[in-house]
Amino acid sequence: MDIIKVAFFDTKQYDKLSFEKFGKDINIHFKFFETKLNEDTVDLATGFDVVCTFVNDTVNKKVIDCMYKRGIKVLALRCAGFNNVDIKYAQGRIHVLRVPAYSPYAVAEHAMALLLTSVRRIHKAYIRSKDFNFSLVGLTGFDLHGKTVGIVGTGKIGRVFADICSGFGMNILAYDKYPDKKLESNNFFKYVELEDVFTESDIISLHCPLTEDTYHLIDKTAIGKCKKGVIIINTSRGALLDSDALLEGIKSRQVGAACLDVYEEESDLFFEDNSGHILDDDILARLISMPNVIVTSHQAFLTEEALENIAETTINNITEFFNTGKCVNEIQ
Ligand code: NAI
């Protein structure tokens, strides 16, 4: 087999380390580009066999046309979600491979880390004790034990998160468009309507994909139906949650706290150091300024185990495709 040339976009140091480790004995040559893939940068992929992208690269009709004209056969996503790819348009033009699971534990554990940080005010306490301020005033939290958590999406990550919550003695309600009744029969959690997740949960955690169906799944109306003081956790995709409505909910005290690893306008900000810049996004700036909003920059996946699984599966996907013309992880 000839050397497979892969143009790797939105590269970070941790990507290089894991892909070089798993790719070193294989017939694949990676060219690592720091820039994201979009209409302006797609020319960089000229002469390559494969384009490898992550969650904030743009793979729209124009980008797909450019790749197709340049004879690029494969788009290898090094992630599970593919809401940033025009999948319908890609059909018949380019094969889209993905990493369906790399570590559901990484994401579910991060969701719980954000929740615990928020309810026990760890983010406040950490800063105070650094300044030798050992006052407890304003740090009162509440027990998770006995609280009701509503989980939207009971796939790989949602199940692990439910498992973690059950270890905390929480009541678990779940909504999934395609419920897996086996899970319910194990007494693990109870499936309810989405409406009931809104009205009965103290905490809501989103673990479904972003689709046309789920865009702004939590909007102003949904927030209005929630219990006063609801905590919203989003480690899935930013646009599941209407950020304007969230900000209004926080300001009106209807939303008690938000734990966000994703944000709907994150693509030009997250994964980059913007500390020396003026933030143009007023909604994000205002959300970050709130004492009861915790934002991490799409880092829920970032564990050693997940990075190794991403590199291994992406490389296996590419070699399987070039050896057999097919790949089990192709999006059909
Ligand atoms: P999965 O495919 O195993 O599970 C998704 C679940 O959502 C399925 O059970 C599916 O039936 C359900 N679902 C689909 N449409 C729905 C709808 N309209 N309403 C309610 N449920 C619906 O996916 P997995 O691995 O659990 O990942 C979930 C999401 O987490 C991904 O789509 C991705 O957006 C996000 N993610 C975030 C990461 C991060 O670093 N923050 C890393 C990896 C994934």
Side-chain angles (χ1 to χ4, degrees):
M1 189 171 63
D2 292 339
I3 287 186
I4 305 166
K5 288 180 279 173
V6 180
F8 197 103
F9 284 85
D10 200 9
T11 309
K12 297 288 178 286
Q13 190 56 27
Y14 47 77
D15 295 315
K16 271 176 101 168
L17 289 175
S18 53
F19 274 80
E20 277 168 352
K21 178 176 165 197
F22 281 95
K24 69 177 181 318
D25 301 322
I26 303 176
N27 233 6
I28 297 186
H29 171 75
F30 290 103
K31 173 79 183 169
F32 293 103
F33 295 110
E34 284 184 15
T35 181
K36 291 190 180 67
L37 178 70
N38 56 40
E39 291 162 27
D40 300 326
T41 60
V42 64
D43 278 342
L44 290 170
T46 307
F48 288 85
D49 306 300
V50 178
V51 165
C52 183
T53 58
F54 198 47
V55 294
N56 286 327
D57 294 287
T58 305
V59 192
N60 58 19
K61 288 190 177 66
K62 271 195 181 165
V63 171
I64 292 169
D65 276 339
C66 288
M67 290 196 287
Y68 183 63
K69 279 187 203 138
R70 284 160 181 72
I72 294 159
K73 297 179 194 68
V74 171
L75 174 68
L77 308 179
R78 45 184 202 280
C79 54
F82 46 86
N83 53 283
N84 55 331
V85 180
D86 190 332
I87 288 293
K88 267 196 198 140
Y89 195 72
Q91 299 291 322
R93 292 180 173 84
I94 192 160
H95 297 270
V96 184
L97 321 179
R98 69 171 183 141
V99 182
Y102 28 97
S103 172
Y105 309 102
V107 183
E109 288 172 15
H110 191 77
M112 181 48 90
L114 289 174
L115 177 60
L116 282 171
T117 301
S118 176
V119 298
R120 302 311 305 269
R121 318 283 189 254
I122 304 294
H123 54 309
K124 296 271 155 206
Y126 175 80
I127 290 169
R128 278 190 196 183
S129 52
K130 283 271 172 205
D131 202 26
F132 309 126
N133 173 356
F134 302 116
S135 158
L136 298 184
V137 174
L139 298 186
T140 308
F142 61 80
D143 293 1
L144 290 180
H145 182 91
K147 296 294 181 301
T148 298
V149 59
I151 297 177
V152 181
T154 55
K156 293 174 282 298
I157 297 170
R159 283 167 209 207
V160 176
F161 186 68
D163 203 11
I164 294 171
C165 291
S166 103
F168 276 77
M170 302 173 81
N171 308 315
I172 305 167
L173 302 177
Y175 169 75
D176 196 299
K177 195 173 175 188
Y178 311 99
D180 181 349
K181 289 288 179 183
K182 283 198 299 292
L183 294 173
E184 198 177 44
S185 62
N186 294 340
N187 263 346
F188 195 39
F189 51 67
K190 188 172 145 206
Y191 278 115
V192 295
E193 293 303 317
L194 185 58
E195 191 83 3
D196 301 326
V197 166
F198 294 146
T199 55
E200 292 178 30
S201 304
D202 302 300
I203 295 144
I204 297 174
S205 194
L206 300 176
H207 299 289
C208 59
L210 175 62
T211 61
E212 278 173 18
D213 250 13
T214 59
Y215 177 79
H216 284 184
L217 181 109
I218 299 194
D219 58 8
K220 190 176 176 196
T221 314
I223 288 175
K225 291 177 187 163
C226 289
K227 283 189 180 176
K228 192 165 171 63
V230 65
I231 297 181
I232 299 173
I233 309 169
N234 189 5
T235 55
S236 204
R237 285 293 180 268
L240 295 174
L241 177 58
D242 178 343
S243 345
D244 281 298
L246 175 66
L247 182 57
E248 284 316 307
I250 296 270
K251 280 157 83 176
S252 69
R253 319 296 196 264
Q254 171 69 5
V255 176
C259 304
L260 311 175
D261 186 51
V262 286
Y263 174 66
E264 56 182 325
E265 302 298 335
E266 71 178 47
S267 60
D268 290 334
L269 294 168
F270 283 16
F271 304 140
E272 308 300 333
D273 179 0
N274 286 292
S275 55
H277 298 260
I278 307 288
L279 189 65
D280 287 327
D281 187 324
D282 289 351
I283 305 265
L284 181 61
R286 189 79 172 94
L287 283 170
I288 287 174
S289 77
M290 297 288 184
N292 52 352
V293 176
I294 297 174
V295 176
T296 52
S297 47
H298 209 135
Q299 77 174 71
F301 75 98
L302 196 63
T303 64
E304 285 173 15
E305 292 81 357
L307 288 174
E308 293 197 352
N309 288 337
I310 288 171
E312 197 174 10
T313 309
T314 305
I315 288 169
N316 288 343
N317 284 347
I318 295 170
T319 46
E320 184 188 344
F321 183 86
F322 279 87
N323 283 332
T324 67
K326 304 185 285 212
C327 173
V328 279
N329 292 326
E330 177 163 0
I331 303 169
Q332 301 292 350

